[in-house]
Amino acid sequence: MKILNLDLIAYGPFTAKSLDLRHATANLHILYGPNEAGKSCTLRALSNALYGIPPHTTDAFLHPSEDLRIGLTLDSPHGEFAVVRRKGRANSLRRNDASESIFPPAEWAALLPVEERELFETMFGVDHAEIANGGKSLLSSGSDLGAMLFAAAGGVERLRAVQVALQESADDLYSKRGSRPAINKAMSALKDSLATVKNSMLLVNEYKGLRDAIADTDAQSHKLENEISQASLEQQRLRRLQQASPLMAKRRQRIEQLKPHEATRTLARDFEDRYRKAHDNPLAVEAESKSLTRDIESLKGRIDTTPVAQAILERESEIDLLYQQSGAVKKGADDRVRRQQTLDDTRVDAVALLKSIGGEILVEQAAELRVSDPIQKRILTLGKSKEAKELAVTSITHDLEKVRAEQSRTIAERVGLPAAVDTSALDKALALLPPGRDLEAEHSSLSKVVAAAESELVRAVSALPDWHGTRDELASAAAPLPETVSEFQAAFLQHEADEKGLLSNRTKLKNERDHVERDLRRIEQEQEVPTEHDLGSSRTSRDSQWRFIRQAWLEVIAVDGPALASSFETCVVTSDQIADRLRREAARVSEKAALLVRREQLAEQSAASDLEINAEQRATAELQLEWESRWSKVGVSPRTPTEMQSWLLKRDAIVKQLAVVQQSQAALASLQEMVVAIRQALIPKLEVITGVVVDQATPLSSLTAQARHAVAGQVELRQRKAALQADEQKAVRVIEDLGERLRTANSALSDWKQDWREATADLPVRPEASPEEVEAALDLIRSLMTKIDEMEKLKDRITKLARDEADFTAKVVGAVEAAGLALQPASPFTAIQTLNAELQKNRTNRDLLRTLLGQVETKENDLRHSQDQIARCHALLADLCTEAGAADPVTLPTLIERAADKLAITTALAELEDSLLGFAAGATLEQLAVELEALNPDELPSRIDGLHKQTATLQTKKATSHQSLGAFRQQLKEKETADSAGQSADDVEHLRSRIANLTEEYLRFRLAARILAKAVDRYRENNQGPLLKTAAPLFRQLTGESFHDLQVDWNEKSEAVLMGIRGTNQKHIGVDGMSEATLDQLFLALRLAFVSNYCDSKGPVPFIADDVLMTFDDARATAALQALETLSHHTQVLLFTHHHHHLELARQGLTPDAYRIHHLN
Amino acid sequence: MFKFIHAADLHLDSPLRGLERYEGAPVAEIRGATRRALENLVQLAIDEAVQFVLIAGDVYDGDWRDAGTGLYFVKQMARLREAKIPVYLISGNHDAANKMTRELRFPDNVKQFSAHKPDTALIPELHVAIHAQSYATADVRDNLAEDYPKPVPEAFNIGLLHTCGAGAPGHEPYAPCTLAELIAKGYQYWALGHVHTAQALCEDPPIVFPGNVQGRHIREPGPRGCLLVSVDERHRITREFMPLDVLRWHLCELDSTGAAHTAAVIERFVKLLPEVLSQHPGQTLALRVRVSGATAAHRKLNAERTAFREQLQAVGVDLGNGAVWIEKLVIDTQPEGQAAMPEGPIGELKRYLVDLRGNDAELEALLKDLLPPELQAVGETADRLKLLDEVEALLMERLLGAEAAQ
């Protein structure tokens, strides 16, 4: 994949910014932009174009989110695709053509090197931070070569951090001996909770034990209660009998005392009281009767001395009414006086108002002046409209005068203006000048451009390498076409590659031959291995000897028998031994045979290889001759095709520049001609109009300005005259119109005056009176009418009050006469006061008389009652004698005394028996007497004391039993009401769930760490060789050949470790011995090697380096640039930088045709 | 006409499993959930003024040793006695295993049937005959129903039985019997217990499991309670399921398909949760949230699952009005698109993971000794392939994610 175009149509700060990354030779693109130029934004745009714009982008500050557009043209193995990326989750990618159709996401995904954005950025992007971190990560990887390669190759510079973080996450969850990690804590809490569950459980046996204990204790308590109850009952019985014993003795005594009273009559309980009342009452009643008689006499005397006037009392209500009215009548009399005063004052005001109006009539006739409301309203309306009528006349008159004055001024100005001149000739001359151009300035500017281009052209020609001819010769020289050069370049590269391949092959062959030789030597050194040839030789020798022996034997030839026999035997033994060894050591034999065959093959292949190399070298030499002959016509000794491509480009640029210079010169001459022609046309016409001779040295721009000014002056004059004429005509029309309006206004004013006179005719004002005067007169009339109305009301009121007063006086006089009082003539108010006082006095005497009469009646009733009472007492005494069986009331006191004695003894006996029944507990007195007889009273106290002690002991036992019962019940209740074990079990489950969840988490972290470690190891095993092979030359390049190789060594723990090889003495330096800068370079070398290998096997993918040179010094930056150029031979490389200085380094250190610089701003 | 309640499998004081406590979780609300469910049962019986209550076994767990649990049950039965509601009870496999069963003394309104032979309890005023037999041991493999008495003529006959029926997945095959056998008995109603999910084996006559009164883990989701059964003069039966559960288990499927980031997934949960809550008004819920679908947030969800779970819990606390417990977060998402196998280290890692999925022996070797002995049990139950998916997402996020880029 290769990016051909990145179009920032609307993205970040960019609008319609296009980056053309399509170039024939340059595959390293340096995208330069200072800070704030949008470098990071461009980087994001590239990634977003490939993988979509994320929902929350920071690049939508100039263009709204929905308007963001990134164009991208890609070259892929499937062809060239031009698309536009928009923002959105779906259908955000469209074809960049007229149809703008949606680019199917699946097809797009197939074009991308990897599916995930992060993976793409990780694998094919690098920035300075990653390099710095990467260097450190190499160091932190220690001896772990796998981790080193994994991190560096994949761009996963955080590998070590991820591994550590996974371990830490796991350690935070669980530690074998710790107490702080979450799982350890939860397990400890679980242990506690399990203990709580156990403690809060009421086990079945425990429950059963408690229940049985409660039942036993309860039964025990009941038994004790029974015993206590028995003892208490006996104790109570003995106490009862103890108390009954003396009472029984007293009972016997009372029965003896009652015997002498058997004949005594029992009297009723109230007998004595009744006797006392009948005997004592008559004495007291007599004294009371005398006192009552005296009181009656005294009251009758007081009645006779109390006088009452009936005449006055008969008129009681009339006098009360008059007295009540007197206050109101008195107040009315005072009010009448005040109102009369007000009436007089109002009349004075009315007379004064009448005078102001100017009326010559009396106040009583003033009502005739009243003006009705409609007439008042008409007068006021007319008065208000007067000002408007007058103002209309004044205003129109004023306008008429103003328009007439303006008309005169306009005529005067028009007559005073000069006559206009014709400017058409001057206009034509001005039309020769092209609009919007400054010909003289253009001429001057173009002259400078031509001079500069000329100078650049001269510089470029002299700077063209190996060229000594003129520039025209250069333009006409028949140089080979770029395609030809490319063909040669390809051919040279092919030859170079072929030769390299052949040389490599020869080296391999040599190595293998060395190897075979070494193996052969090894086999031979172990013990010489016989060959079939050895066996054949031995057998040939044996057979030859045998033939000789046979011949000697058959032909009886004299030979040295023993010696021959010995030699023959040796041959036979040797042959057998060789044959045996060949059989026994067949494997070694065959290995040796194979090695020998291989050696021969290799020798042949080496010879063939040498021949091929020679042929290749000859072909290369021929190609070089052909190359040089192509350039001989140009007169240039050719350098390499790559350089000559650059040479051709430079020559093309010069030729183009030459054409530009020549065109510019022609344009310059044309401009000069135009200037002269325009000047010649302008000057005479201008002089005619202005009447002034023009200086020939005046610049064209100034001439043009003067001419335009003259033409504009004439146009303005003509326009002014036309405007004045139009104004005059307009004034005539306005004057006519105003005259008409003035006449109408005057007519309206005279109509108004007629109406006014008619309306005010009946008013006491002069006929010409103004509206203000009339309004003042109307106000006065209104005030006068108000006064007149007030006077009428006052008069009515005064008359009514006087009438009320006279009525009252007449009634008072009538009342006094009827009462028969001789009063001196005075005001009715004094008379009523006196009459009222007399009434009150008579009322008091009448009430006193009524009271005295009531008292006399009461006393007389009491006296009659006392006399009845004395008679009743005498009758009662007679009844009592009959009841007691007495002949005379005198014996009654003795009989009463005897009856009382008998009653006292009987009552005491009954009380005793009542008490004894209280101790009998339901039995009769006789049964009680029998029970007492059975006891010895002296034993009772000791028996009662014994029972008391027994009860106390039983009570103590019962209390203890109750206490135990309470304790057991409390224990059971506590167990029942305590937080149930079930609730504690909830806590246990919460903790178990927590432990399970945390353990799952812990398992993930631990497994992730193990899997990552395994993957790292696998990556090393599979990629170590190819990666280091590519990385080594890059490392050499990056370190400025300070290091010249990378190798894998084994440390004392038999772990593979990476070594940098330095210096002529091949010193092995581990990563821990490398400087920080070298580590960064090593990381970059591994990173670039990975990308290079990837692109070689999977096809090119653009590699993006963001400010990677930022912290490098010049030498390192140049080396890095060159390494990137090396990578650009494998894939497209985009280097973003904000250091202008790096551009200079690129110019100095890179092959000119290998890179391109793009400016972002 | 009369009404009764048919309940079973109270499993009193059996703890709720799988709930890890966190700030804002309704801990107090669900404390003693099985007891609260029983209280709800008793209250329902009182409110509905039912004539009797049937409990078809398993009042408590077999291995539970706290007599307090039994005393608590007795107290609740006493509440029913005050309301003059008799209870007919059989012991199931769990009760039979528990020592408590022999020691507890029930109030006189509770009739516990004998374990020696089937017995019949008559309720003369209702013309109801209840036939039942308790379990004598935990492991009853005999067909108890076989010996149940013949129906009492003219009466409404109820068979009270703790059984697996013809066999139910996840339940021990205790007191097995066939549907045909039960129908053949000629009873009007079979009140069964043992299977925890409410279900009717037959509608005429009703042969039903009411399910347990309180779900105890996520495998017992949905409403749990009892059956309120009404029988009219002609023995026509209507039954109504009455939920009693204090905490309800619910599997909440959260589809993350197409979500661009974790925040978008959270937003979806914010929209989903009120819908779930409206399906269970006024109910405290334990939610297992299963996130599925292909999403760009796949890696992030796996790598930052703790933070994600905490965010879900916060949403639950916020919108759940103190009535939502996020029981567990299960991430079953997939990455968007088919992840290719790129060259290079990351590709090597991916290839290794692919190899592991097909190589049980190597995976086992990797897992060996990863967990300390006391935590081994968790590792053994883990789904190996899912574990590899999670680990892959975790590794990719850590190696390539935004944090890695910083």
Side-chain angles (χ1 to χ4, degrees), chain A residues 63-82:
Chain A
H63 305 285
S65 283
E66 64 274 17
D67 291 349
L68 294 182
R69 297 284 186 279
I70 310 164
L72 188 70
T73 308
L74 280 188
D75 182 25
S76 82
H78 306 285
E80 191 173 313
F81 297 94

Side-chain angles (χ1 to χ4, degrees), chain A residues 174 202 211 987 994 1010, chain B residues 20-21 67 103 366 374 390:
Chain A
Y174 177 79
L202 171 60
R211 205 182 58 192
D987 295 340
R994 178 163 173 72
R1010 258 188 204 184
Chain B
E20 179 184 346
R21 190 182 288 197
E103 297 302 333
L366 275 182
E374 61 268 38
E390 289 166 355

Side-chain angles (χ1 to χ4, degrees), chain A residues 10-85:
Chain A
Y11 194 82
F14 299 110
T15 306
K17 169 80 182 174
S18 181
L19 293 172
D20 181 5
L21 308 175
R22 190 194 296 258
H23 196 272
T25 56
N27 217 13
L28 168 59
H29 298 272
I30 302 173
L31 292 99
Y32 165 73
N35 285 330
E36 308 301 326
K39 186 167 62 68
S40 308
C41 180
T42 310
L43 200 56
R44 280 195 297 278
L46 179 58
S47 182
N48 290 346
L50 291 170
Y51 290 94
I53 303 171
H56 303 296
T57 176
T58 54
D59 295 324
F61 51 87
L62 178 59
H63 305 285
S65 283
E66 64 274 17
D67 291 349
L68 294 182
R69 297 284 186 279
I70 310 164
L72 188 70
T73 308
L74 280 188
D75 182 25
S76 82
H78 306 285
E80 191 173 313
F81 297 94
V83 292
V84 174
R85 174 72 76 178

Side-chain angles (χ1 to χ4, degrees), chain A residues 605-882:
Chain A
Q605 284 172 2
S606 290
S609 178
D610 287 344
L611 287 174
E612 280 172 355
I613 289 167
N614 287 338
E616 189 55 46
Q617 284 169 346
R618 276 199 304 280
T620 306
E622 283 165 13
L623 187 66
Q624 182 64 30
L625 282 176
E626 175 64 18
W627 172 241
E628 284 168 3
S629 81
R630 292 295 177 99
W631 285 91
S632 60
K633 297 167 196 163
V634 189
V636 170
S637 174
R639 301 184 180 192
T640 65
T642 308
E643 286 173 300
M644 291 322 286
Q645 268 179 341
S646 168
W647 190 92
L648 276 178
L649 287 173
K650 283 177 182 161
R651 191 206 66 158
D652 289 349
I654 290 167
V655 171
K656 275 186 196 160
Q657 182 73 10
L658 184 57
V660 169
V661 168
Q662 283 165 353
Q663 278 174 6
S664 301
Q665 281 168 344
L668 203 57
S670 160
L671 267 178
Q672 184 60 34
E673 280 171 19
M674 272 173 81
V675 169
V676 170
I678 292 164
R679 287 180 68 90
Q680 282 170 356
L682 270 180
I683 291 172
K685 310 292 188 299
L686 186 60
E687 284 175 339
V688 168
I689 288 171
T690 58
V692 180
V693 179
V694 174
D695 184 357
Q696 290 298 324
T698 309
L700 182 59
S701 57
S702 173
L703 270 179
T704 319
Q706 285 176 21
R708 285 196 175 123
H709 184 259
V711 170
Q714 288 305 316
V715 169
E716 196 181 338
L717 183 59
R718 278 196 294 277
Q719 285 171 347
R720 183 62 191 154
K721 276 193 169 185
L724 288 169
Q725 227 156 7
D727 288 350
E728 279 172 38
Q729 286 163 3
K730 191 180 165 194
V732 169
R733 284 196 301 279
V734 170
I735 288 165
E736 281 171 10
D737 181 42
L738 284 174
E740 185 55 39
R741 282 171 60 196
L742 186 57
R743 276 188 292 281
T744 310
N746 278 327
S747 165
L749 188 57
S750 36
D751 290 350
W752 180 86
K753 281 176 180 165
Q754 182 57 34
D755 290 348
W756 182 250
R757 272 192 297 276
E758 286 170 8
T760 57
D762 295 337
L763 295 182
V765 292
R766 56 193 178 88
E768 299 82 14
S770 69
E772 289 77 16
E773 285 173 286
V774 171
E775 201 174 327
L778 279 173
D779 284 347
L780 287 172
I781 289 169
R782 273 195 296 275
S783 302
L784 177 60
M785 290 306 132
T786 309
K787 292 291 178 189
I788 298 285
D789 293 346
E790 279 177 22
M791 280 167 65
E792 288 303 317
K793 281 183 191 166
L794 284 168
K795 278 178 192 170
D796 287 352
R797 184 65 187 153
I798 289 165
T799 308
K800 194 171 174 288
L801 287 170
R803 199 167 57 230
D804 291 349
E805 199 179 327
D807 287 351
F808 179 73
T809 309
K811 284 179 185 168
V812 169
V813 169
V816 167
E817 281 172 4
L821 291 178
L823 290 176
Q824 294 298 319
S827 77
F829 303 113
T830 319
I832 195 66
Q833 290 283 350
T834 311
L835 193 56
N836 186 52
E838 203 59 32
L839 175 64
Q840 296 307 325
K841 195 169 85 188
N842 277 291
R843 272 178 180 160
T844 310
N845 283 348
R846 185 182 63 189
D847 294 344
L848 178 62
L849 201 58
R850 283 175 184 164
T851 310
L852 291 172
L853 284 171
Q855 283 175 351
V856 168
E857 196 181 346
T858 309
K859 298 276 183 186
E860 283 173 347
N861 284 337
D862 289 350
L863 186 61
R864 278 191 297 276
H865 182 73
S866 297
Q867 286 163 352
D868 291 348
Q869 216 177 349
I870 291 167
R872 277 198 305 275
C873 286
H874 286 301
L876 191 61
L877 275 175
D879 292 345
L880 288 173
C881 284
T882 309

